[in-house]
Amino acid sequence: MRDGMRDVIVVGGGPVGMMLACLLAAEGLDVEVLERRTEPSMRSRAIGIHPPSLRALARIGVADALIERAVQIEDGVVECDRHRLGRMEFTRVGAEYPFVAALPQYETEALLRQRFDQLAPGRVRGGAIVTGVRDAGDHVDVDVDVDVREAPAAPGRTAQPTEVPTGTAQPTEVPTGTVQARYVVGADGARSVVRAAAGIRFTKYGPPATYLMGDFDTEPLASEQYMHQNGAGSAKTAHSRAVLYFERGGVVESFPLPGGRRRWVAMTDRLSPGASSADLAGIIRWRTGVDVGVPLGPASAFAVQQHLAARLVAGRIALVGDAAHEISPIGGQGMNLGWLDAVQLAPALRRAIRETDAAPSALETYDRRRRRTARTAAVQAGFNMAMGRPRTGALLAARNALVRSLAAPPASALVARAFTMRWL
């Protein structure tokens, strides 16, 4: 590499990779990010940012700007057949950040890129295609090629360029050939090239499920309608409340976004890539009776199959985020779980680099703890998916009774704590 061997190369410049890069750079480590995309994705995927993640974002100086742009979700309700089954209140489960922040992923990524560019200018290499990773014993070799094309965007709502915070870090020239680092981290998603190169098994966990997702503008709807549909005491509360509809035909989830928008997700009986926003709106109206408003782009169909990596560390190669564990996004755990991986991996890498004798124990501790947490998160996500499956008759009555019991004290406090990932 022209500038010498890096301390850490992070493969993948999504929200998890950029969080890790910021944490490492803030500790004075020499870190570089290799990102396949040549332009930032303008699609909204993950939106929920939980209190433990807000604490991590505060450590790198991003939390305040993010919260300023986000909607603060302080509670959520659960409904079935137009009746409320229960309510979760997030304000009582912690004083520091008593809410879940909702912000489109492209805005979150832009804030992280900005911060990393302040900490390590010019260290995001856009258009970098990693084709091979080899642990050489005292360092790692990374084979890099160049692709001037933008990688396919992830499913979600297409944004307008004006919605991205200004000052987003731009990718710089890509070094080709073989580059080197003391450690390499795969933050390159569920189809991780780094994980495959390290020979780490990625095992399916639990049954699959399919969903249809879309974002809608609710402003044309009357405030009174939303107050009625969401059981809120005011229009402001209605527009900032999460609603889970555990309906007979399958779960429908609704989460607020900035600017009077809402994200809607509906479980489906099959993957429907050709479904439109009108199809999604029809499913929601049939199950819940709610009119969702004006679509903000096409609907996205996606399938969920949870996976867990057999290990998160192999020599000088480590994994974070979806490369380490693909967790159902239902309940908003995926991105947040990856950020908390980064929070624990950053000090482990710092210690491994500065105290070489301590490297094996530091990385083994990261591996053990995060795999245990990922297994727990997968169980919780599996429970969330199971609760949302279609139910009728006695099974529907039993599920609704369970929801009512979980929404009542003292269980409600524990459920709110789990929903906001404070158990992590």
Side-chain angles (χ1 to χ4, degrees), residues 205-225:
Y205 191 97
T210 56
Y211 298 88
L212 196 58
M213 176 180 74
D215 293 351
F216 293 81
D217 184 359
T218 65
E219 287 299 335
L221 299 177
S223 296
E224 291 78 10
Q225 180 190 18

Side-chain angles (χ1 to χ4, degrees), residues 17-64:
M18 294 311 304
M19 167 70 87
L20 177 62
C22 288
L23 289 166
L24 294 170
E27 293 291 340
L29 296 184
D30 186 2
V31 58
E32 185 164 46
V33 178
L34 302 180
E35 166 55 41
R36 183 183 184 94
R37 294 172 298 176
T38 57
E39 297 291 340
S41 172
M42 297 301 294
R43 292 182 178 268
S44 173
R45 297 181 67 196
I47 59 172
I49 303 166
H50 297 301
S53 295
L54 291 170
R55 288 196 295 270
L57 291 164
R59 288 172 51 180
I60 60 172
V62 173
D64 288 346

Side-chain angles (χ1 to χ4, degrees), residues 45 189-191 195 202-211 267-268 271 301-309 321-330 333-334 337 374 377-379 381-382 385 389:
R45 297 181 67 196
R191 297 178 179 84
R195 185 187 63 242
F202 206 42
T203 305
K204 291 182 181 179
Y205 191 97
T210 56
Y211 298 88
M267 178 177 278
T268 56
L271 186 64
F302 64 96
V304 171
Q305 174 64 72
Q306 300 195 118
H307 291 84
L308 298 178
D322 285 353
H325 38 68
E326 187 179 18
I327 303 298
S328 167
I330 303 305
Q333 293 190 111
L337 193 64
V379 170
M385 287 195 295
R389 294 187 185 278

Side-chain angles (χ1 to χ4, degrees), residues 168-366:
T168 301
Q170 297 299 314
T172 58
E173 181 185 350
V174 181
T176 59
T178 301
V179 296
Q180 297 178 333
R182 292 175 175 83
Y183 290 89
V184 167
V185 180
D188 51 341
R191 297 178 179 84
S192 172
V193 172
V194 176
R195 185 187 63 242
I200 298 175
R201 188 174 69 256
F202 206 42
T203 305
K204 291 182 181 179
Y205 191 97
T210 56
Y211 298 88
L212 196 58
M213 176 180 74
D215 293 351
F216 293 81
D217 184 359
T218 65
E219 287 299 335
L221 299 177
S223 296
E224 291 78 10
Q225 180 190 18
Y226 252 76
M227 289 168 63
H228 171 72
Q229 291 170 336
N230 294 303
S234 68
K236 179 179 179 181
T237 302
H239 281 290
S240 62
R241 164 171 285 167
V243 187
L244 306 181
Y245 301 89
F246 282 160
E247 303 295 343
R248 297 167 186 269
V251 70
V252 172
E253 300 189 345
S254 176
F255 302 100
L257 288 168
R261 297 167 287 161
R262 290 190 79 86
R263 161 70 52 81
W264 289 87
V265 183
M267 178 177 278
T268 56
D269 58 1
R270 65 179 67 88
L271 186 64
S272 304
S276 67
S277 295
D279 294 328
L280 175 57
I283 292 171
I284 295 167
R285 188 180 305 109
W286 176 69
R287 291 184 190 172
T288 70
V290 175
D291 292 322
V292 295
V294 179
L296 297 168
S300 298
F302 64 96
V304 171
Q305 174 64 72
Q306 300 195 118
H307 291 84
L308 298 178
R311 49 185 172 147
L312 305 192
V313 176
R316 290 178 173 268
I317 299 171
L319 304 175
V320 293
D322 285 353
H325 38 68
E326 187 179 18
I327 303 298
S328 167
I330 303 305
Q333 293 190 111
M335 180 175 67
N336 291 271
L337 193 64
W339 277 342
L340 298 181
D341 290 343
V343 167
Q344 292 200 18
L345 181 58
L349 286 173
R350 182 185 66 241
R351 188 179 179 199
I353 291 168
R354 295 177 178 172
E355 304 173 36
T356 55
D357 291 343
S361 63
L363 293 173
E364 191 278 332
T365 298
Y366 164 78

